[in-house]
């Protein structure tokens, strides 16, 4: 249709002239042009400065989804949570309750002390012991 219109008009036809010749709306002509545009394939591993892209070492690296957690990191985190859960189960009941009240319920040491009828400084000591035990377990788990 473009070639025929050029022959008849002796020039490149306008979008309106071409759409009238084809019997379609100008917007539909635009849609056809976009659909007929050639597809250009490029390698994701090609140098990033090729093909008009200038954003890093490769397109593959530039397209990385940073919002997705690395599978390895996710599995390590899951394993650490499992180890921490197992180690917490081994703590004395009082220390488990202190950790639960402090970290999950947001209760302060002075309020925990009232609940258990012991001093706030003793609650602080028990908390510190529990955290040190768990920290030691986590460090040894990360090293192995």
């Amino acid at each position: 249709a473009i070639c025929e219109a050029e022959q008849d008009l002796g020039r490149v036809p306008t979008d309106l002239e071409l759409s009238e010749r084809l019997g379609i709306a100008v917007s539909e002509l635009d849609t056809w042009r976009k659909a007929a545009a050639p597809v250009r394939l490029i390698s994701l591993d090609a140098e990033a400065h090729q093909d008009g892209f200038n954003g890093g070492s490769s397109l593959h690296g530039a397209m990385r989804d940073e919002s997705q957690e690395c599978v390895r990191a996710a599995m390590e985190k899951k394993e650490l949570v499992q180890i921490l859960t197992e180690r917490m189960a081994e703590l004395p009941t009082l220390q488990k309750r202190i950790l639960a009240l402090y970290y999950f319920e947001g209760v302060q040491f002075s309020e925990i002390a009232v609940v258990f009828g012991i001093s706030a400084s003793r609650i602080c000591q028990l908390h510190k012991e529990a955290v040190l035990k768990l920290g030691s377990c986590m460090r040894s788990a990360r090293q192995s």
Side-chain angles (χ1 to χ4, degrees), residues 80-114:
L80 287 174
V81 168
Q82 181 182 356
I83 292 169
L84 182 61
T85 303
E86 290 169 0
R87 296 301 178 258
M88 284 183 73
E90 296 171 1
L91 290 174
T93 304
L94 184 57
Q95 286 181 337
K96 283 191 279 192
R97 288 182 180 165
I98 290 170
L99 292 176
L101 287 170
Y102 187 72
Y103 290 106
F104 298 110
E105 302 297 326
V107 181
Q108 296 180 3
F109 289 149
S110 58
E111 296 168 325
I112 296 171
V114 171

Side-chain angles (χ1 to χ4, degrees), residues 17-36:
E17 291 169 335
L18 193 55
S19 64
E20 286 174 357
R21 183 176 285 265
L22 293 170
I24 60 172
V26 175
S27 60
E28 190 172 351
L29 178 64
D30 288 338
T31 304
W32 284 13
R33 278 194 178 128
K34 289 176 186 170

Side-chain angles (χ1 to χ4, degrees), residues 3-55:
C3 290
E4 288 176 6
E6 285 177 352
Q7 292 286 328
D8 293 345
L9 300 170
R11 62 177 169 76
V12 176
T14 64
D15 287 351
L16 182 60
E17 291 169 335
L18 193 55
S19 64
E20 286 174 357
R21 183 176 285 265
L22 293 170
I24 60 172
V26 175
S27 60
E28 190 172 351
L29 178 64
D30 288 338
T31 304
W32 284 13
R33 278 194 178 128
K34 289 176 186 170
V39 175
R40 189 167 167 218
L41 300 176
I42 56 173
S43 171
L44 291 177
D45 294 321
E47 293 286 326
H49 60 81
Q50 295 175 354
D51 300 318
F53 181 79
N54 197 11

